[in-house]
């Protein structure tokens, strides 16, 4: 009753409290009635002239000496008795005569309490002391009644000047991670910082011994001077990685094996894997590269170029897509649909790129990421990368089934031996990479995933593409990609000579009209005279050369269209089958035994090749191989081909 409160931006006086309702009266004569529960919980409500109660911290109170706590509690009882006449609160005991609020004023009660405490042996207690303690209790709570000497905490920096402390912290930061740094060097650097900031002789420096103690107190125990800097991959780091809440906030790289039949550049079957960069917030695959399983890990700059540069702006990508689209049957999307889908496929420069520690991160990658504002974090799958690694394994398993169906569709038609039996398809790296890009765009990004559920809507499952759009709208920030010129800059570079025929790289020839005035000449900007060439390790259809104008110009593989035409795909498949049969021939097979005719020798070679091919291709190829062997037993010479059967494979 009678208290003044602030409510709805005005000051009111409490005029009554009836049945849980508070009656208010303003200074201008306005009145109001509001529920007490609504009043005290309303925004901006407070009692005028009364501070919020301050509760003592449990750890801080427990750290106080027992005598200090007992004295503070005694002061609390005395203050309550001065104000209310009851030392333990309402109903605790009867009011003593000297502290009856109805008979004596507050000043008289304070004088009586000071005399009582002095009689009990308390020193330096006057009416002013009692009044000061009472007011402090109302401002700061119980801790205000504790002796200040008990609340004083021992500082690790002692009585050192704050400016000197700031200089030592700055010196420790500048020398962080330098193995050859000593404490003496840190002290000298701190003294130089103090002199530069505040002027020579303006700040009094502690003694050398005190400076040594100051450096020891301020340095991190887990990272003393001269020790290597700790990174985000430290095993002592607790709590794990923070959850990604925005698109491209955390992008993690993981690798999984593929069970797809692929033939290498030497004509032999190779085991392949896929390395993907998955966005942690949306599950979108920003980049995916197919490579040999025995090869070194995928270079991070290549993945950065794949995920940060849109495909539609890369030089020559549209034409390469149209050529590759015609090489395999059973496409999921048409050419125009793929071009439209590629234009909206998620691409972005990641804020944090998480990779396996086994992947080498060179100094050039560090400088590139620093320029782009990308943070690098090396985390093994056993620590925090299990979820993304499992996602990539699921992706690899689903894509293996699709690639097997594509291979089966490609092998439909008569076999290479004229038996009418379908031969097992042999996919190249280029074919498999093109199929993977199409499958990710058409299937993976539109497939609902169990991990993409909102906690308040657990039955609503989103696809990665939908989650990308949702988080873009929620975050209000669109991650920007890089331009076309950055794609070639991020690719690995080598030095090569420019001949009259162009550039030779990996037994392939690359050429373009931009080389006409530089053929057979040395590069004027390099010491050895060779030209800087940037190439994609997993896409051999194009390289980029830096000409004297400083720009990177694309050079096309002269046989790129030839390698992906339908007729040449059949030739590629048969060549791989021939090389496989030749390399699998048993070493004990006689080559030219005495007394054998030429026909018998060819028959033995045919049987060995047939047996090896049947072991690699399965029982389906056995019957056709037997028919071919019987046809070969009729005598030497060339077999007669069926033109109509051959056209079915084109």
């Amino acid at each position: 009753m009678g208290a003044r409160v602030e409510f709805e931006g005005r000051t009111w006086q409490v005029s009554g409290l009836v049945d849980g309702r508070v009656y208010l009266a303003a200074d201008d004569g306005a009145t109001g009635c509001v529920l007490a529960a609504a009043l005290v919980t309303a925004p901006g409500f407070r009692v005028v002239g009364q501070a919020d109660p301050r509760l003592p911290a449990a750890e801080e109170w427990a750290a106080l000496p027992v005598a200090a706590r007992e004295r503070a509690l005694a002061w609390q009882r005395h203050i309550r008795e001065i104000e209310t006449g009851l030392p333990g609160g309402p109903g605790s005991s009867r009011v003593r005569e000297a502290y009856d609020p109805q008979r004596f004023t507050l000043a008289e009660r304070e004088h009586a309490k000071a005399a009582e405490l002095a009689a009990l042996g308390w020193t330096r207690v006057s009416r002013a002391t009692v009044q000061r303690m009472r007011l402090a209790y109302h401002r700061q709570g119980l801790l205000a009644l504790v002796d200040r000497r008990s609340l004083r905490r021992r500082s690790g920096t002692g009585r050192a000047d704050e400016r000197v402390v700031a200089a030592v912290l700055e010196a420790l930061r500048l020398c962080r991670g330098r193995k050859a740094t000593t404490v003496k060097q840190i002290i000298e650097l701190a003294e130089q910082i103090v002199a530069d900031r505040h002027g020579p002789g303006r700040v009094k420096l502690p003694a050398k011994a005190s400076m040594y103690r100051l450096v020891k107190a301020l340095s991190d125990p887990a990272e003393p001077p001269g020790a290597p800097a700790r990174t985000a991959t430290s095993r002592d780091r607790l709590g794990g990685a923070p959850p990604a809440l925005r698109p491209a906030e955390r992008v993690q790289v993981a690798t999984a094996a593929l069970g797809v039949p692929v033939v290498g550049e030497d004509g032999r079957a190779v085991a392949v894997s896929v390395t993907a960069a998955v966005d942690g917030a949306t599950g979108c695959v920003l980049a995916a590269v197919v490579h040999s399983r025995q090869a070194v890990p995928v270079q991070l700059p290549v993945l950065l170029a794949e995920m940060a540069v849109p495909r539609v702006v890369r030089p020559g990508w549209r034409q390469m897509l149209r050529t590759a689209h015609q090489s395999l049957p059973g496409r999921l999307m048409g050419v125009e649909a793929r071009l439209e889908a590629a234009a909206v496929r998620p691409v972005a420069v990641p804020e944090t790129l998480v990779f396996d520690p086994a992947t080498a991160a060179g100094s050039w990658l560090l400088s590139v990421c620093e320029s782009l504002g990308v943070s690098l974090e090396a985390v093994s799958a056993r620590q925090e990368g299990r979820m993304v690694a499992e996602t990539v394994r699921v992706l690899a398993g689903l894509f293996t089934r699709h690639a097997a169906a594509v291979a089966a569709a490609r092998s439909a038609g008569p076999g290479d031996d004229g038996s009418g039996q379908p031969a097992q398809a042999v996919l190249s790296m280029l074919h498999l990479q093109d199929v993977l890009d199409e499958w990710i765009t058409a299937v993976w990004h539109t497939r609902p995933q169990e991990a993409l559920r909102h906690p308040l809507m657990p039955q609503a499952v989103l696809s990665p593409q939908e989650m990308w759009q949702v988080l873009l709208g929620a975050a209000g920030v669109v991650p920007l990609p890089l331009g076309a010129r950055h794609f070639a800059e991020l690719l690995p570079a080598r030095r090569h000579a420019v001949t009259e025929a162009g550039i030779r790289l990996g037994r392939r020839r690359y050429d373009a009209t931009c080389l006409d005035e530089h053929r057979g000449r040395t590069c004027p900007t390099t010491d050895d005279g060779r030209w800087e060439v940037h190439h994609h390790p997993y896409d051999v259809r194009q390289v980029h050369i830096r000409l004297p104008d400083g720009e990177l110009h694309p050079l096309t593989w002269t046989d790129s269209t030839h390698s992906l035409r339908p007729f040449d795909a059949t030739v590629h498949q048969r060549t791989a089958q021939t090389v496989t049969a030749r390399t699998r021939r048993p070493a004990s097979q006689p080559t030219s035994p005495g007394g054998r005719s030429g026909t018998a020798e060819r028959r033995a070679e045919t049987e060995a090749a047939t047996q090896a091919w049947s072991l690699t291709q399965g029982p389906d190829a056995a019957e056709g191989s037997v028919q071919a062997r019987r046809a070969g037993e009729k005598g030497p010479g060339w077999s007669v081909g069926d033109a109509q059967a051959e056209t079915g494979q084109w």
Side-chain angles (χ1 to χ4, degrees), residues 2 27 51 98 113 119 194 226 254 275 295 307-308 373 378 422 449 527 542 545 564 579 584 592 635:
D27 296 337
K113 180 59 67 176
V194 171
T275 297
M307 73 178 73
Q449 296 186 9
D527 298 334
Q542 193 180 63
I545 184 172
L564 295 177
V579 173
R584 296 290 183 90
S592 181

Side-chain angles (χ1 to χ4, degrees), residues 20-78:
R21 291 180 174 86
V22 181
Y23 292 87
L24 305 174
D27 296 337
D28 56 0
T31 60
C33 179
V34 64
L35 291 174
L39 176 65
V40 298
T41 58
F45 169 80
R46 73 180 187 92
V47 179
V48 178
Q50 180 178 345
D52 295 334
R54 181 175 181 269
L55 300 178
E59 294 294 331
E60 187 177 6
W61 179 257
L64 294 174
V66 177
R69 284 183 285 176
E70 292 179 349
R71 188 177 181 88
L73 292 174
W75 266 115
Q76 185 184 40
R77 292 175 58 86
H78 292 310

Side-chain angles (χ1 to χ4, degrees), residues 144-158:
L145 305 178
V146 179
D147 190 350
R148 297 290 97 185
R149 293 171 294 182
S150 301
L151 293 175
R152 187 178 302 166
R153 293 289 178 264
R154 185 177 180 180
S155 174
T157 59

Side-chain angles (χ1 to χ4, degrees), residues 193-523:
I193 293 175
V194 171
D196 294 341
R197 290 182 178 178
H198 308 285
R202 299 289 298 274
V203 178
K204 184 179 180 181
L205 299 175
K208 291 296 182 183
S210 301
M211 289 293 289
Y212 271 91
R213 289 193 297 267
L214 185 61
V215 172
K216 183 179 180 181
L218 294 177
S219 60
D220 189 350
E223 198 176 85
R230 291 181 298 169
T231 63
T233 59
S234 174
R235 295 187 177 182
D236 297 332
R237 190 166 63 107
L238 302 178
L245 303 177
R246 300 185 303 276
E249 182 180 358
R250 286 179 64 86
V251 177
Q252 184 164 341
V253 178
T255 303
L258 290 176
V260 184
V262 177
V263 63
E265 295 184 354
D266 57 354
R268 303 181 183 182
V270 295
V272 293
S273 299
V274 57
T275 297
V278 183
D279 180 34
T282 63
C284 289
V285 178
L286 301 183
V289 173
V290 176
H291 56 91
S292 176
R293 197 176 303 175
Q294 293 80 13
V296 296
V298 176
Q299 302 181 35
L300 292 180
V302 177
L303 282 176
L304 194 59
E306 288 285 342
M307 73 178 73
V309 181
R311 289 162 176 77
V312 293
V313 302
R314 300 176 189 175
W317 180 82
R318 295 176 181 270
Q319 182 60 34
M320 289 189 295
L321 175 64
R322 296 181 184 276
T323 304
H325 193 83
Q326 304 172 0
S327 61
L328 291 177
R331 290 293 187 176
L332 298 174
M333 308 170 65
V335 179
E336 298 301 328
R338 286 193 65 181
L339 290 174
E340 294 178 1
V344 298
R345 180 171 173 176
V347 246
V349 178
E351 297 181 22
T352 301
L353 184 60
V354 185
F355 61 96
D356 193 280
T359 305
S363 59
W364 180 72
L365 174 65
L366 296 178
S367 62
V368 168
C369 292
E370 183 179 357
S371 302
L372 297 177
V374 179
S375 300
L376 291 176
E377 184 175 338
V379 175
S380 64
R382 295 182 178 180
Q383 294 177 354
E384 300 173 3
R386 298 179 181 177
M387 183 176 297
V388 174
E390 182 63 27
T391 300
V392 176
R393 281 194 291 268
V394 172
L395 180 146
L398 295 176
F399 175 69
T400 298
R401 301 177 189 176
H402 174 70
V406 173
R410 182 170 182 256
S411 63
D416 64 323
D417 51 10
S419 62
Q421 297 292 333
Q424 183 175 359
V426 180
L427 297 177
S428 65
M429 288 287 189
L430 286 178
H431 287 134
L432 192 61
Q433 183 67 53
D434 179 62
V435 173
L436 176 61
D437 291 338
E438 180 188 36
W439 181 83
I440 289 175
T441 304
V443 178
W444 181 263
H445 282 175
T446 59
R447 174 179 176 268
Q449 296 186 9
E450 293 294 327
L452 302 179
R453 296 176 182 265
H454 194 277
L456 298 180
M457 294 183 294
Q459 297 184 4
V461 186
L462 297 181
S463 65
Q465 187 77 30
E466 293 171 340
M467 181 58 76
W468 182 275
Q469 297 173 359
V470 168
L471 292 187
L472 280 182
V477 178
V478 178
L480 297 179
L482 298 179
R485 61 184 182 89
H486 296 94
F487 180 75
E489 292 287 355
L490 291 172
L491 298 180
R494 300 174 62 177
R495 296 289 183 85
H496 290 274
V498 176
T499 63
E500 293 295 335
I503 291 179
R504 289 282 181 179
L505 178 61
R507 299 180 183 272
R508 297 181 179 88
R509 186 170 67 89
Y510 298 88
D511 199 0
T513 56
C514 62
L515 296 181
D516 290 344
E517 57 179 317
H518 307 290
R519 300 181 188 275
R521 298 182 180 180
T522 59
C523 180

